[in-house]
Amino acid sequence: MNTANKGSIGMSPGPILIYGFGPYDEFEHNITSDVVDALATLPGLTTTTFEARFDRPMFERCLTACRPATIIGLGQHRHARKLRLERRAVNRKGKRGGPLTMIDPLGPAALAVNLHLPDRPFTTVAYDAGTYVCNFSMYVMLQYCALHEARFGFIHVPLRFDVATLTDYLTQALRTTAA
């Protein structure tokens, strides 16, 4: 986890966490790790690249360490053509084609994001983040947000998307969504 000089970015009140994922399944590289690396040099951000696995404690350790007020998650999407601004996480997990289980047997069926990132020509709004680790991370992060009055948004990134464009988009989005 990279922690830059918190509070100096001037974008959003409180600490900001931006995360992505490492390789998974047949993908030896994950574009979100490139975006996280590009953002890691900006002051005021905490950035991290998680392993792509269903591991609630891994996410919770990061949240405990940085106590973010704003969180933006990034996940790679094998079929996306535009950035997918995900609007909800569902209480189910499982690999493609495998059995599904609940993330939290006592939790609600779905949780809505509370940080709406701006629409652009290269974005689309989506309501189905799937059932893999991206959705799992969203659900865990949104449970944290409900307890800590934090804000959360999630973007699924196409396999081949311009890293500089996404970095600029995120920087501008954080400035315009400051409370």
Side-chain angles (χ1 to χ4, degrees):
M1 179 169 34
N2 173 50
T3 305
N5 182 13
K6 292 181 182 173
S8 66
I9 198 163
M11 293 181 176
S12 182
I16 301 167
L17 169 64
I18 297 182
Y19 71 89
F21 292 98
Y24 65 100
D25 293 344
E26 73 270 20
F27 298 102
E28 294 178 13
H29 180 76
N30 189 322
I31 190 170
T32 66
S33 64
D34 295 338
V35 178
V36 168
D37 289 347
L39 291 168
T41 62
L42 293 177
L45 293 180
T46 297
T47 58
T48 194
T49 300
F50 290 114
E51 292 180 43
R53 60 185 182 167
F54 299 113
D55 185 352
R56 180 183 286 270
M58 172 181 67
F59 296 112
E60 290 175 340
R61 281 190 300 273
C62 178
L63 292 168
T64 300
C66 67
R67 301 209 175 275
T70 302
I71 306 165
I72 297 178
L74 305 171
Q76 180 172 280
H77 194 289
R78 68 177 78 220
H79 301 297
R81 294 174 187 241
K82 294 182 171 187
L83 295 179
R84 290 173 46 111
L85 309 177
E86 299 292 349
R87 294 288 195 241
R88 73 180 179 132
V90 293
N91 190 359
R92 63 178 189 245
K93 67 178 181 174
K95 285 195 168 195
R96 209 169 23 142
L100 297 178
T101 59
M102 294 183 82
I103 295 168
D104 181 350
L106 301 176
L111 295 169
V113 302
N114 58 5
L115 175 64
H116 286 243
L117 298 164
D119 292 329
R120 297 289 184 264
F122 51 83
T123 65
T124 187
V125 173
Y127 293 89
D128 184 359
T131 59
Y132 197 47
V133 178
C134 291
N135 177 73
F136 180 84
S137 76
M138 288 178 68
Y139 199 89
V140 171
M141 297 294 173
L142 285 165
Q143 286 183 314
Y144 167 88
C145 289
L147 294 173
H148 297 91
E149 297 182 18
R151 301 179 314 154
F152 177 76
F154 192 92
I155 302 171
H156 263 128
V157 183
L159 294 173
R160 291 168 193 83
F161 194 84
D162 184 63
V163 172
T165 300
L166 181 50
T167 302
D168 290 344
Y169 170 78
L170 288 169
T171 303
Q172 292 172 11
L174 285 168
R175 286 189 180 115
T176 60
T177 59

